[in-house]
């Protein structure tokens, strides 16, 4: 029985999880990213088992698998050749300077377990310990997730993190999905076809902003838009990487499906 106990929890909830799961989640810390788009900030990589099987890109269009160096790095983290424990990650995050922006998971997602019905549910023990570490240092951590937010467990876990200073963005593949998660109180990002014009607003009227690091001379450190849980816009990422064409096809199928 796991439950968040915080005065800032949006809706207290209890989850029954009857299963056995790995107590160790391997994660690698890069203290200063060499990625020009990201900028010189700390970034992490979590083992591939953290990714929900319901992610629409898990088998073919995953950006983290499309680049040689990141893909090879991720494989080594997943095989536990690189990285360390979740406790080491939390210790590191708790030591960051106030206002330090950092990205969790350039590859990987929020670790999960399965309930008796096979639903993949975000592990509250891992998430809360990371949220607490980020809060203690007053850092500006952020990440993205493809976990299914129609599960109340996952929705409330993500909302808890956002309410407590660690921004978790819902990764979407259509403007309809964007409107749905925003209606649920979660900041959204969306990947869009790079061969088409990007709409300025979603069907429900939410403003769409193409990732500034893709459209002008800036990076994630200087922009910080995705680290703002209460922003008034949706961040759109143009399909990129060597699998962009295939990704465009996937997005078309999702939109028309």
């Amino acid at each position: 029985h796991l439950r968040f106990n915080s005065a800032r929890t949006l809706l207290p909830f209890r989850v029954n999880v009857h299963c056995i799961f790995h107590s160790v989640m391997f994660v690698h810390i890069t203290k200063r990213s060499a990625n020009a788009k990201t900028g010189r900030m700390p970034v992490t990589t979590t083992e591939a088992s953290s990714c929900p099987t319901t992610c629409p890109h898990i088998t073919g269009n995953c950006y983290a698998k499309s680049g040689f160096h990141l893909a090879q790095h991720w494989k080594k983290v997943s095989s536990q050749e690189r990285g360390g424990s979740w406790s080491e990650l939390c210790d590191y995050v708790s030591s960051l300077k106030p206002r330090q922006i950092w990205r969790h998971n350039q590859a990987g997602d929020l670790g999960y377990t399965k309930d008796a019905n096979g639903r993949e549910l975000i592990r509250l023990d891992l998430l809360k310990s990371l949220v607490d570490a980020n809060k203690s240092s007053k850092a500006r951590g952020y990440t993205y997730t493809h976990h299914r937010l129609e599960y109340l467990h996952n929705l409330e876990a993500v909302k808890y993190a956002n309410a407590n200073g660690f921004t978790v963005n819902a990764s979407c593949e259509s403007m309809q999905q964007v409107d749905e998660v925003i209606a649920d109180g979660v900041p959204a990002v969306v990947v869009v076809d790079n061969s088409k014009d990007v709409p300025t607003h979603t069907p429900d009227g939410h403003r769409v902003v193409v990732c500034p690091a893709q459209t002008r001379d800036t990076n994630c450190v200087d922009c910080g838009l995705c680290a703002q849980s209460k922003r008034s816009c949706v961040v759109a990422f143009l399909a990129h990487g060597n699998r962009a064409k295939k990704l465009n096809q996937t997005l078309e199928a999702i939109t028309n499906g």
Side-chain angles (χ1 to χ4, degrees):
H1 300 280
L2 300 175
R3 184 177 181 144
F4 287 134
N5 295 304
S6 168
R8 298 189 64 189
T9 303
L10 299 180
L11 289 175
F13 62 103
R14 184 178 295 276
V15 182
N16 294 321
V17 179
H18 300 289
C19 58
I20 298 174
F21 49 75
H22 295 291
S23 59
V24 176
M25 179 66 64
F26 243 62
V27 58
H28 180 273
I29 303 165
T30 301
K31 295 183 178 180
R32 284 174 61 86
S33 172
N35 186 306
K37 177 178 176 294
T38 303
R40 297 293 189 175
M41 70 160 78
V43 299
T44 67
T45 305
T46 304
E47 63 179 74
S49 68
S50 63
C51 292
T53 61
T54 52
C55 173
H57 311 298
I58 196 166
T59 58
N61 303 321
C62 177
Y63 174 75
K65 297 178 181 177
S66 66
F68 176 80
H69 295 292
L70 179 54
Q72 293 301 308
H73 173 60
W74 196 16
K75 286 182 179 179
K76 290 185 180 296
V77 176
S78 299
S79 63
Q80 301 188 356
E81 296 176 61
R82 291 180 183 170
S85 70
W86 196 261
S87 294
E88 290 173 314
L89 167 65
C90 292
D91 288 343
Y92 173 74
V93 172
S94 65
S95 72
L96 292 174
K97 294 180 179 180
R99 303 295 298 165
Q100 170 68 58
I101 189 171
W102 67 280
R103 175 179 173 177
H104 182 45
N105 289 339
Q106 62 175 339
D109 206 307
L110 301 173
Y112 67 89
T113 186
K114 292 184 179 181
D115 68 5
N117 296 315
R119 298 180 306 169
E120 295 172 347
L121 306 178
I122 295 170
R123 281 183 56 178
L124 307 185
D125 58 334
L126 299 182
L127 180 60
K128 187 175 187 303
S129 61
L130 185 59
V131 170
D132 287 348
N134 186 72
K135 182 187 289 189
S136 71
S137 64
K138 296 182 174 60
R140 297 164 59 205
Y142 73 98
T143 192
Y144 311 89
T145 185
H146 263 110
H147 276 290
R148 298 183 67 171
L149 299 187
E150 57 265 43
Y151 299 155
L152 180 61
H153 173 110
N154 290 343
L155 175 62
E156 292 301 334
V158 168
K159 290 170 72 173
Y160 171 85
N162 282 303
N164 285 276
F166 181 68
T167 302
V168 180
N169 296 279
S171 294
C172 304
E173 281 69 45
S174 72
M175 295 300 170
Q176 179 181 354
Q177 291 177 359
V178 166
D179 283 336
E180 290 172 354
V181 298
I182 290 179
D184 284 333
V186 177
V189 300
V190 60
V191 60
V192 295
D193 191 323
N194 65 4
S195 66
K196 298 180 179 180
D197 291 335
V198 180
T200 59
H201 292 80
T202 70
D204 285 354
H206 298 291
R207 185 166 62 95
V208 178
V209 175
V210 177
C211 170
Q214 290 185 310
T215 59
R216 59 178 188 263
D217 186 21
T218 189
N219 56 40
C220 300
V221 173
D222 296 328
C223 172
L225 195 57
C226 291
Q228 299 176 31
S229 64
K230 297 181 180 180
R231 63 178 182 269
S232 60
C233 65
V234 180
V235 179
F237 297 110
L238 300 172
H240 57 289
N242 57 27
R243 300 183 185 179
K245 289 185 177 179
K246 187 175 180 180
L247 177 54
N248 287 342
Q249 295 173 352
T250 299
L251 296 175
E252 183 74 17
I254 292 173
T255 300
N256 297 330

